[in-house]
Amino acid sequence: MKTTRRGFLGHSAALPIAYGVSLPLAGQALAASPADTEDYRAIVCVFMHGGNDHDNTIVPMDSANFASYQLYRGSLAYHANELKIGGNDIRVGNNQLLTNVYGGPARPLSQLPLVGAGQVARNASLDGRQFSLSPTLSSLHSKYQDGKLAVLLNIGTLVQPMVKSEFYNRQVKRPPQIGSHNDQTAYWQSGGIEGFSVGWGGRIGDLIAAQNGRPAFTCVSVSGNTVMLAGREVLQYQVKESGPINFTPLRSAFGSDTVGNALGQLITDTELTPQQMMGREHARITTRAIDSGDQLREALALTPESDMFPPSQPFTAGLKNSTGGLGRQLAMVARVIHARKHLGLKRQVFFVSIGNFDNHSGLAGVHPGQTQTVADAMSAFHDWSVYAGLGNNVTTFTGSEFGRQIVSNGNGSDHGWGSHQLVLGGAVNGGHVYGIAPSFVSTQATRFDNSDHLFSSGVMIPTTPVEQLAAQLATWMGVENAADMLLNLANFSARPDPLRSLLQG
């Protein structure tokens, strides 16, 4: 049963913890947007919580660096020509052999090249470096070949450019608590310290919300509360994989209509005295949450899921079944995007996430399945966008609080700093590797001593700040002077932006 505000007051409802919305929408009728809906753009952040192991995601494949990769990784290293990791077959999911991925068979490193002999990376000086997607990312290789997927090398949290000697001598500012999950997640998503209340996705939302008929749906999370989508004006709207968060009647819990009515009146009563400021604000937000949920629920109901996800289309299984929770999150993003015409939406920022990337131990048994889930879900979601006629309108990118050390701890990899990321979409100038990654070629005795961007453990000092990715995405979304919203971007203005041609249009 649909939960209207009147119904809520009559039957009572529980207030979910996560209910962020922006700008009042009460009383607005659900109607098609008068806006030109072809002028639509969305960015989707796929965040990998725990710190993704980038060296087993984007693998160095030139002979010298691959030899070092095998040396320092040991039993964690993928084989070049076989679907093996260490001395064992690659296993994913419920201990299943990696044989197939979304869209076809899994392939070994040698069949998944990103930069080959004679090729030049976009905006990068690779000095003969070559890379491959890991076997678990096989489903994305055709996207790279088609120019829809780009790989970003050694991107991470920075305050200003830095080399190893400057780090040791404390000559330049550095992000807080490098290696701390909470601090680095907050910094990656906001450019600020842990607990910083505004994220760069939310700042984009602040600057594009006026283009939307219903601004409450500018920033949408399908993965709970996140700093990434918190703006100064626009709050994130949170949905579940199944749809809007319901205000479940409490009568079944307490067995009393009187209690339900009283609670409903308390949490939606905006006629409180000036001294009851917090209560009034709480009631105002609750009322908006109920109304917005009703509007989204009605918009989603206008198109049955079976029409959006036909059984005959491979992306249907890719989003709804085989890729698990992340696929279902992206399926919900697809449904909200599909409802854009009815909600009057032209610009949106989405957030989804997946965990279990903190692989200090058991990396060879866990990480392959996690990265396959990410790759298959992203690939299926892009295929849906193409099917929906929105292939050029939706850009998906990955993020993670930090990378890992290339030097194995024997059973896994420990916290790092810089990492490699992916950007996928029809507007991406793909088929290119962007940025610079340090060489791993070194002896055990002099491990990385001569490298400006590698510590002895193989932790990479980032060469591209997250803010440069944020600026490219913001500009593509139509934000003018994106540098004004990013705290540290000006610190990198003296050198060319390695991501300057990442997106087109």
Side-chain angles (χ1 to χ4, degrees):
M1 179 182 296
K2 183 181 72 175
T3 305
T4 63
R5 190 169 77 175
R6 180 176 299 173
F8 180 94
L9 292 174
H11 300 290
S12 76
L15 179 67
I17 293 175
Y19 57 78
V21 291
S22 70
L23 307 184
L25 299 174
Q28 293 185 15
L30 189 63
S33 167
D36 177 8
T37 52
E38 292 184 0
D39 179 24
Y40 175 83
R41 292 186 178 186
I43 55 175
V44 184
C45 176
V46 178
F47 202 82
M48 299 174 284
H49 287 290
N52 178 47
D53 190 298
H54 57 275
D55 289 312
N56 270 24
T57 304
I58 307 299
V59 183
M61 281 300 292
D62 55 280
S63 58
N65 277 278
F66 186 68
S68 292
Y69 165 79
Q70 292 180 307
L71 171 67
Y72 293 123
R73 291 256 119 173
S75 62
L76 305 183
Y78 284 115
H79 288 222
N81 300 304
E82 298 180 273
L83 292 175
K84 290 182 177 293
I85 184 169
N88 302 307
D89 294 328
I90 303 171
R91 293 185 176 271
V92 296
N94 295 318
N95 202 34
Q96 301 295 311
L97 286 174
L98 177 67
T99 56
N100 292 296
V101 296
Y102 171 81
R107 289 174 285 164
L109 293 173
S110 60
Q111 298 179 27
L112 301 170
L114 296 178
V115 178
Q119 291 180 294
V120 178
R122 183 68 64 93
N123 298 331
S125 176
L126 291 180
D127 296 325
R129 298 290 303 279
Q130 297 177 34
F131 297 87
S132 288
L133 295 176
S134 79
T136 60
L137 271 64
S138 294
S139 62
L140 287 173
H141 193 247
S142 63
K143 271 64 174 177
Y144 183 86
Q145 292 178 311
D146 292 341
K148 308 303 181 186
L149 177 73
V151 173
L152 314 185
L153 297 178
N154 197 17
I155 185 171
T157 58
L158 284 170
V159 177
Q160 59 192 94
M162 177 186 295
V163 296
K164 185 163 60 178
S165 60
E166 292 172 327
F167 178 91
Y168 283 132
N169 295 328
R170 296 187 175 273
Q171 292 174 277
V172 298
K173 293 182 179 179
R174 63 177 75 172
Q177 301 298 319
I178 296 166
S180 162
H181 291 290
N182 291 341
D183 292 277
Q184 289 299 293
T185 296
Y187 204 95
W188 205 102
Q189 296 183 11
S190 70
I193 60 173
E194 181 180 7
F196 197 67
S197 60
V198 178
W200 55 263
R203 294 200 287 273
I204 293 174
D206 287 336
L207 297 170
I208 62 175
Q211 300 182 53
N212 292 329
R214 289 169 173 80
F217 306 112
T218 300
C219 293
V220 179
S221 173
V222 197
S223 188
N225 190 50
T226 173
V227 171
M228 170 71 84
L229 298 187
R232 292 192 175 96
E233 298 175 6
V234 172
L235 305 180
Q236 59 195 287
Y237 183 81
Q238 297 174 33
V239 297
K240 299 183 295 184
E241 295 172 7
S242 58
I245 297 172
N246 291 318
F247 290 76
T248 308
L250 284 175
R251 192 163 52 174
S252 60
F254 292 97
S256 170
D257 286 343
T258 302
V259 172
N261 288 333
L263 177 62
Q265 185 63 41
L266 281 172
I267 68 174
T268 61
D269 183 7
T270 59
E271 302 300 324
L272 300 175
T273 67
Q275 288 75 25
Q276 297 171 302
M277 181 176 62
M278 292 185 65
R280 283 204 326 276
E281 182 64 12
H282 185 276
R284 185 171 67 88
I285 293 175
T286 302
T287 299
R288 293 188 326 208
I290 296 170
D291 291 337
S292 297
D294 289 342
Q295 290 168 358
L296 180 57
R297 194 173 291 107
E298 290 175 22
L300 295 177
L302 293 174
T303 303
E305 286 194 65
S306 58
D307 291 348
M308 280 193 62
F309 305 110
S312 60
Q313 293 294 327
F315 62 72
T316 296
L319 291 175
K320 303 292 287 185
N321 301 319
S322 64
T323 55
L326 183 63
R328 291 191 294 271
Q329 289 178 54
L330 287 170
M332 189 67 236
V333 172
R335 293 184 65 199
V336 175
I337 290 175
H338 187 81
R340 70 196 182 282
K341 296 180 181 179
H342 306 289
L343 296 168
L345 303 173
K346 298 179 69 175
R347 297 289 186 273
Q348 289 183 281
V349 184
F350 292 92
F351 182 87
V352 299
S353 71
I354 177 174
N356 205 20
F357 284 90
D358 192 20
N359 304 140
H360 292 279
S361 62
L363 183 145
V366 176
H367 190 258
Q370 296 304 97
T371 49
Q372 184 195 359
T373 294
V374 171
D376 286 3
M378 287 180 64
S379 189
F381 179 68
H382 175 73
D383 285 352
W384 168 82
S385 72
V386 173
Y387 176 84
L390 295 168
N392 296 331
N393 304 80
V394 180
T395 298
T396 306
F397 63 97
T398 60
S400 192
E401 59 262 45
F402 44 66
R404 316 293 289 195
Q405 302 176 10
I406 191 173
V407 179
S408 167
N409 64 18
N411 194 26
S413 57
D414 296 326
H415 295 182
W417 190 358
S419 185
H420 307 324
Q421 303 299 343
L422 308 172
V423 185
L424 174 65
V428 176
N429 284 316
H432 296 288
V433 175
Y434 291 76
I436 301 171
S439 172
F440 293 121
V441 177
S442 179
T443 66
Q444 286 278 22
T446 63
R447 189 190 295 172
F448 315 132
D449 285 350
N450 297 324
S451 174
D452 283 335
H453 291 95
L454 275 174
F455 294 106
S456 60
S457 60
V459 171
M460 295 192 302
I461 299 174
T463 48
T464 299
V466 175
E467 283 86 349
Q468 288 181 326
L469 171 60
Q472 293 299 318
L473 292 167
T475 300
W476 182 73
M477 291 287 281
V479 174
E480 297 182 2
N481 301 318
D484 293 343
M485 72 174 206
L486 296 163
L487 300 179
N488 300 318
L489 190 60
N491 297 338
F492 300 88
S493 61
R495 63 179 191 174
D497 182 351
L499 308 184
R500 61 187 177 274
S501 57
L502 176 64
L503 295 161
Q504 56 189 333

